[in-house]
Amino acid sequence: MGVTKTQVFTDRQNRIADLAKALAHPARVAIIQHLLKVNSCVCGDLVEVLPLAQATVSQHLKELKQIGIIHGEINPPRVCYCINETVWQEAKAIFGDLFETPVSAACCN
């Protein structure tokens, strides 16, 4: 059995890729922005905020929840979503470290 592509990279590289993938759709970015803006859990009103069908919003929420950047609490008949502060801080640190790495401007001149 062959090695999967993710196995040749470090855990940190795979985590960066997973977080980037979760943020790689404008609907997911809009969901996160909305949750950050309201600064509380949102129960069911995301469909009213986004120009997307309920099924589409649900799929994007599933992607964000799977990576851990949001979490949902079941509050029948709804699920309430909010930012997972631990994972949010992790993502900020990971991307901050990545983008703060110095780049040599002379490399391609």
Side-chain angles (χ1 to χ4, degrees), residues 8-18:
V8 299
F9 299 104
T10 67
D11 289 343
R12 185 167 177 87
Q13 289 167 331
N14 282 302
R15 184 63 174 163
I16 291 169
D18 288 342

Side-chain angles (χ1 to χ4, degrees), residues 33-88:
Q33 287 176 322
H34 180 71
L35 292 173
L36 290 167
K37 180 181 174 184
V38 299
N39 198 26
S40 66
C41 290
V42 173
C43 302
D45 66 347
L46 284 170
V47 175
E48 297 170 16
V49 175
L50 300 171
L52 302 170
Q54 175 65 54
T56 304
V57 171
S58 293
Q59 182 61 38
H60 289 300
L61 288 167
K62 178 182 172 186
E63 294 285 333
L64 292 170
K65 191 173 176 187
Q66 185 175 13
I67 198 67
I69 207 153
I70 65 170
H71 56 86
E73 294 181 13
I74 298 173
N75 188 6
R78 300 178 178 183
V79 178
C80 299
Y81 292 97
C82 51
I83 298 291
N84 179 333
E85 190 172 342
T86 302
V87 177
W88 183 251

